[in-house]
Amino acid sequence: MGSKHYSLVLILGLLALIGQTHAQLKLDFYARSCPKAEKIIWNYIHDHIPTTPSLAAALLRLHFHDCFIRGCDASVLVNSTKTNAAEKSAPPNFTLRGFEFIDILKSLVEAECPGVVSCADIVALTARDSVQAIGGPFWNVPTGRRDGVISIATEALFGLPAPFHNLTTLLTTFANVGLDTNDLVVLSGGHTIGLSHCSTISTRLYNFTGKGGQDPALDSEYAKNLKNHRCKSISDNTTLIEMDPGSRNDFDVGYYKQVVKRRGLFTSDNSLLDSSVTRSIINQQLQSPQKFFIEFGKSMEKMGRINVLTGRQGQIRKHCAIINS
């Protein structure tokens, strides 16, 4: 009887451990442990983003770059040390913004509930609330993510979708994290807000073949306008250009209107025209802005679940830029 009892206790203990290690994300995860957390984040965002709408794009991009490398674990927020080059120091992340904003939100939540809410959840909630604050869609953000303890620059260098990627490479990069063709096209619609730098398009404008010349896939009038008024030389690394000219602060289907005119800023944008499947998905978004909002929300929720740490995995960082010792 004693041995049977011991075995039962051992099995129950193992099941409990497995349940904690592989816990699932869920809505209102902090309902008991920090019930005001999501409201604190929502309030701060809605107080500040409407007056600085360009930050919404930056915070959305931060979430995107986080989830593609090691999953949505806030590894993109970690500072480099003398012994480790973190994701922040990878070239694709040089232009990321919003770190200070996340730090403020973390401090506000920590003041309410010390050591409870993860930086990874703050990043995910902030992306959603920022987009909604400028008139974009709302989507569910299940919470319960834990913060990662590893951040490696080379992983970000080779694991992120790049502006110069063709469709085949993009589809592979998305598939590597469990996202499909529809997710690629729909999430690319996030380019409807925000800015980029001339350096991201200089090769398309001035040296596409390696011997001069511009990308023939780029609308010639658009290219001419960019050369004359925005990116006047191949060496311009500072001038900012709108991803969706005329409505960069409005979350709408304007991006897709630019893409079908061959005025997508990046090679990756233009590559969405290279397949009948991706073109069809673009046309579906154009026919129904409401559908775009719904589909974008679904893909964002799906992306927010990529390789998350839950239960006893990872940690809850005290400061988002520093892994707890």
Side-chain angles (χ1 to χ4, degrees):
M1 184 72 179
S3 62
K4 288 183 178 180
H5 177 72
Y6 176 78
S7 298
L8 179 60
V9 171
L10 181 61
I11 291 171
L12 290 174
L14 287 171
L15 288 173
L17 179 60
I18 292 170
Q20 289 175 325
T21 303
H22 297 281
Q24 298 298 309
L25 301 181
K26 64 178 183 179
L27 294 174
D28 299 320
F29 177 84
Y30 300 107
R32 292 186 178 180
S33 58
C34 193
K36 295 181 181 179
E38 293 194 25
K39 188 63 174 178
I40 289 170
I41 294 169
W42 190 92
N43 285 341
Y44 188 83
I45 287 170
H46 282 258
D47 284 344
H48 292 82
I49 292 299
T51 58
T52 54
S54 65
L55 193 53
L59 294 166
L60 177 62
R61 185 175 178 230
L62 197 62
H63 184 34
F64 188 92
H65 280 228
D66 180 38
C67 290
F68 265 75
I69 307 301
R70 290 190 170 268
C72 310
D73 66 348
S75 55
V76 74
L77 305 180
V78 175
N79 287 339
S80 295
T81 65
K82 292 181 179 179
T83 58
N84 179 67
E87 292 172 31
K88 270 186 184 179
S89 63
N93 290 334
F94 284 171
T95 55
L96 286 180
R97 296 189 301 126
F99 296 109
E100 298 84 359
F101 196 88
I102 296 295
D103 287 342
I104 291 172
L105 289 171
K106 175 65 171 175
S107 66
L108 293 173
V109 174
E110 282 291 301
E112 177 70 19
C113 311
V116 174
V117 181
S118 70
C119 299
D121 276 340
I122 291 174
V123 170
L125 289 164
T126 299
R128 190 269 311 277
D129 292 349
S130 296
V131 167
Q132 189 193 25
I134 61 168
F138 176 90
W139 61 89
N140 288 326
V141 178
T143 44
R145 297 167 187 80
R146 304 268 291 179
D147 298 323
V149 296
I150 299 172
S151 182
I152 303 172
T154 52
E155 293 183 350
L157 179 61
F158 297 108
L160 287 168
F164 51 82
H165 279 166
N166 61 30
L167 183 59
T168 299
T169 304
L170 288 171
L171 288 170
T172 299
T173 305
F174 272 64
N176 286 342
V177 293
L179 299 177
D180 59 25
T181 304
N182 190 74
D183 298 317
L184 166 61
V185 178
V186 170
L187 291 175
S188 293
H191 286 171
T192 188
I193 54 175
L195 302 165
S196 188
H197 292 82
C198 283
S199 56
T200 59
I201 194 176
S202 59
T203 298
R204 293 192 78 193
L205 291 175
Y206 292 102
N207 193 27
F208 186 70
T209 63
K211 298 180 180 179
Q214 69 185 41
D215 183 355
L218 185 64
D219 177 71
S220 58
E221 286 300 314
Y222 180 49
K224 180 180 178 181
N225 182 62
L226 286 172
K227 286 181 175 180
N228 290 340
H229 302 289
R230 304 300 297 170
C231 308
K232 297 181 180 180
S233 76
I234 195 172
S235 60
D236 185 345
N237 294 316
T238 57
T239 301
L240 295 172
I241 43 179
E242 297 177 336
M243 300 288 292
D244 180 6
S247 66
R248 67 181 176 90
N249 292 327
D250 298 321
F251 202 96
D252 54 25
V253 295
Y255 163 78
Y256 296 114
K257 293 178 180 178
Q258 297 295 325
V259 169
V260 297
K261 294 178 182 177
R262 296 189 299 117
R263 294 183 176 185
L265 198 60
F266 302 148
T267 298
S268 57
D269 296 323
N270 189 77
S271 73
L272 299 181
L273 298 175
D274 293 345
S275 157
S276 60
V277 175
T278 50
R279 289 197 303 272
S280 174
I281 297 171
I282 289 174
N283 288 332
Q284 291 171 32
Q285 312 314 309
L286 285 170
Q287 291 170 8
S288 174
Q290 183 180 11
K291 175 181 174 60
F292 169 52
F293 272 37
I294 294 171
E295 291 298 312
F296 186 84
K298 288 180 180 178
S299 290
M300 285 299 299
E301 183 175 351
K302 183 177 177 181
M303 187 187 79
R305 294 179 179 273
I306 295 174
N307 295 332
V308 294
L309 303 175
T310 57
R312 292 186 177 180
Q313 298 171 320
Q315 61 182 215
I316 303 297
R317 285 186 219 135
K318 296 177 182 178
H319 304 283
C320 290
I322 303 171
I323 295 171
N324 299 345
S325 57

